[in-house]
Amino acid sequence: MAKIIPFKAVRPTRDKVSLVASRSYQSYTQAEREARLDYNPYSFLHIVNPGYKYDKEISGKERYQLVKNRYQEFKEDGVFVQDKKAAFYIYRIVDRDHQIFNGIVAAASVEDYKNDVIKKHEDTIESREIVFKDYLNTVGFNAEPVLLTYPDNDAISIIISEIQKQRAEFEFTTTYRDTHYLWQIDNENDIKVISDAFAKMKVLYIADGHHRSSSSSLLCEHQKTENPNHSGEETYNYFMSFLIPESELRLHEFYRVVKDLNGLTKEEFLIRLDTMYRIENRGIMPYKPSKPHHFSMYLDGEFYSLYLRKHNYDFKTSLDDLDAQLLYQTVLKPILGINDLRNNTRIDYLSGKKDIVNLKSMVDTGAFKVGFGMIPATIEQMKAIADEGLKMPPKSTYIEPKLRSGVTIYEF
């Protein structure tokens, strides 16, 4: 059973939420970051980039302490206010393509994460886990929820629908033309119905945020050793999550681009590829695959379709059926010599939300030699891989929705 509880969020005031909310720091170009820092004193970017105040790049523990300082200043200035009563928060996004996402911001149990009630499908990098744990331990808050998904549930859906008939606490539209809404649920009966509904679920799945959840687990272990009166109910025993029903989750693919052909000529590469794939030259017109185990390839100014010769490939597990894993096992590793997908600098990734023409452009610049496209993984594949205790290759899925940082904040 999954333990999901309400918490006292720290939130911007209604009049400033549109100014505070930001995308993740890494998603901005340097020019975009500088523009927001120069002209918006309320942007959450001021908190996560505290060196801006001193016109200096600051890293490590010194940066963590300054992040904490900036955060406290936002609270002191009344930009952020903590709710007096624990609540669940309904978060709704209507994006520019009219896709609608509805979910609940809540606190999920670290113990559930450890016991595999909250299941994972991606590997994490230990060094990144430790860095983020140290960051959380210093700053004392988290502003980006882990994205969890659950089977559609009528009891939860009814409450969400009823609450959304009321005026939203927050409503703002971003420059990306996505509109965000937030409602607060602090009615004890509604909280109990939602908590009981999650308690009846045997498992939840991490859709996005594997490093954040793992770091929260490390933080919990650290805090336990520091607290002689540890009870198991302290805020560090939980991490902020955005729980969304499976039917509203959107999975996109990632394209792969590789800088060279591992010493092979174009002809040698195609001959090696022919062992595992039926290859057709599609010419200069952009080509996207439409079926599992089919790939598009862009090489030397032309698109190719690659159809797997299935008699040469052994499907033993649900992971073997995943196109990102299949491409790794049949092309990236044996032919292009890319063994470590996480650390090899010869490979890069491009979100499949972007047009296949973007992949073409990256290769045409000369920075990359070859690019590969595939269809998105499915929620069923993601769950099956997690259920078998297996892990997807990095950048197997680009998952929506993406929440804004700074709208709800969880303090430890």
Side-chain angles (χ1 to χ4, degrees), residues 108-117 220-221 224 237 239:
S109 167
V110 168
E111 199 63 30
D112 283 351
Y113 173 83
K114 292 177 183 176
N115 294 336
D116 225 24
V117 174
C220 179
E221 289 303 310
K224 281 168 63 174
N237 293 282
F239 55 93

Side-chain angles (χ1 to χ4, degrees), residues 119-132:
K119 294 203 170 188
K120 312 91 179 165
H121 67 264
E122 278 190 7
D123 274 327
T124 52
I125 301 171
E126 185 178 6
S127 59
R128 283 184 60 191
E129 295 172 352
I130 294 170
V131 165
F132 194 55

